[in-house]
Amino acid sequence: MVFLSAVGLMLLGYILGSIPSGMLMVRLTTGRDIRTVGSGRTGGTNAMRAGGSIVGAVTGILDVLKSFLAVHIVRWLFPGAFWLEVLVGVAAVLGHNYSLFCIEWKQTRFGRIPIFHGGAGGAPTLGVATAFWFPALYIVLPAGLLAFLLIGYASVTTLIGGLLIILIFAVRAALGLSSKWYVVFGVISTALMTWALRPNIERLIQGTERVVGVRAWLKKKNEASASDQQ
């Protein structure tokens, strides 16, 4: 019975995570398909590129809420089942990264195969961490915003968030304040984000990754200044 309930809740977590908030928001506000813009991902950063800052912010909030809700459903049905909270949280991140509603069919010599699209997993990972311990939001979000503005790489910001979540729950587990299972979630979700961000990491190594925030502003300012001097 517990096994069937766990499978059902993981499926629910995956479906909730699969809701493509960015694709829906961009479609509703601009009529565009977010998958044809920028990185093609459905997360908040690409939604911002496709529809503006407000669309990006709302997308991020919705992506946090869907995984937050998934974990709280588990907590309501099975209080104290930390391992199940983690499994459902991971399922929600997987749903976000490989959405049931963002399937592209690719023709191969073996026939048509489904290619799942989605985001990189940063926002739903934060949603799960916030469900585990709400004050995590007050640590990860400001640190992420600061990294986004100053470091200037959305991919690096996402990975910093994952590492912070591991650190937060490792310290709490060591102090006996939360379950060690939450550390396991941090490690798995960060690995999933790293895998999803492989193209960005390659561009970082090559020095071709697009910049955002203060660095993007400085870059445009320098380019404009150089153009005026010519």
Side-chain angles (χ1 to χ4, degrees):
M1 183 65 181
V2 174
F3 174 77
L4 291 176
S5 298
V7 171
L9 286 168
M10 288 173 66
L11 180 60
L12 176 63
Y14 173 77
I15 293 171
L16 285 172
S18 285
I19 298 171
S21 308
M23 189 167 73
L24 294 172
M25 287 297 302
V26 171
R27 179 77 75 179
L28 288 171
T29 56
T30 70
R32 304 173 73 185
D33 185 343
I34 193 174
R35 293 171 295 180
T36 65
V37 179
S39 66
R41 296 194 185 101
T42 60
T45 301
N46 208 40
M48 181 175 64
R49 294 189 193 105
S53 299
I54 294 176
V55 171
V58 173
T59 295
I61 292 169
L62 292 174
D63 285 342
V64 167
L65 288 175
K66 63 188 183 183
S67 58
F68 181 86
L69 175 62
V71 174
H72 273 284
I73 290 173
V74 177
R75 191 167 288 176
W76 174 56
L77 293 173
F78 295 98
F82 304 120
W83 61 274
L84 187 52
E85 291 178 20
V86 166
L87 288 178
V88 172
V90 169
V93 176
L94 282 170
H96 178 79
N97 289 10
Y98 308 98
S99 174
L100 182 66
F101 307 109
C102 298
I103 299 176
E104 173 189 353
W105 291 92
K106 185 176 181 179
Q107 187 66 42
T108 69
R109 62 177 181 171
F110 302 108
R112 296 177 73 208
I113 60 171
I115 305 295
F116 294 81
H117 295 281
T125 294
L126 177 58
V128 173
T130 304
F132 289 162
W133 185 56
F134 197 86
L137 179 69
Y138 305 133
I139 301 172
V140 179
L141 187 58
L145 288 173
L146 194 62
F148 187 79
L149 291 172
L150 298 182
I151 296 177
Y153 295 116
S155 53
V156 173
T157 300
T158 301
L159 294 175
I160 286 174
L163 293 173
L164 265 177
I165 287 168
I166 294 173
L167 179 62
I168 288 167
F169 289 108
V171 170
R172 285 182 57 78
L175 296 173
L177 298 174
S178 65
S179 171
K180 293 177 182 178
W181 278 103
Y182 295 164
V183 184
V184 174
F185 169 78
V187 171
I188 294 174
S189 62
T190 301
L192 290 173
M193 289 188 287
T194 303
W195 179 259
L197 291 167
R198 294 189 321 283
N200 303 76
I201 293 169
E202 289 177 7
R203 289 194 294 269
L204 280 168
I205 294 171
Q206 295 166 1
T208 58
E209 177 73 330
R210 64 171 63 90
V211 293
V212 294
V214 174
R215 289 187 62 186
W217 177 77
L218 289 173
K219 183 178 179 181
K220 287 182 180 179
K221 185 178 180 181
N222 290 335
E223 289 174 351
S225 178
S227 177
D228 291 341
Q229 292 173 5
Q230 290 178 353

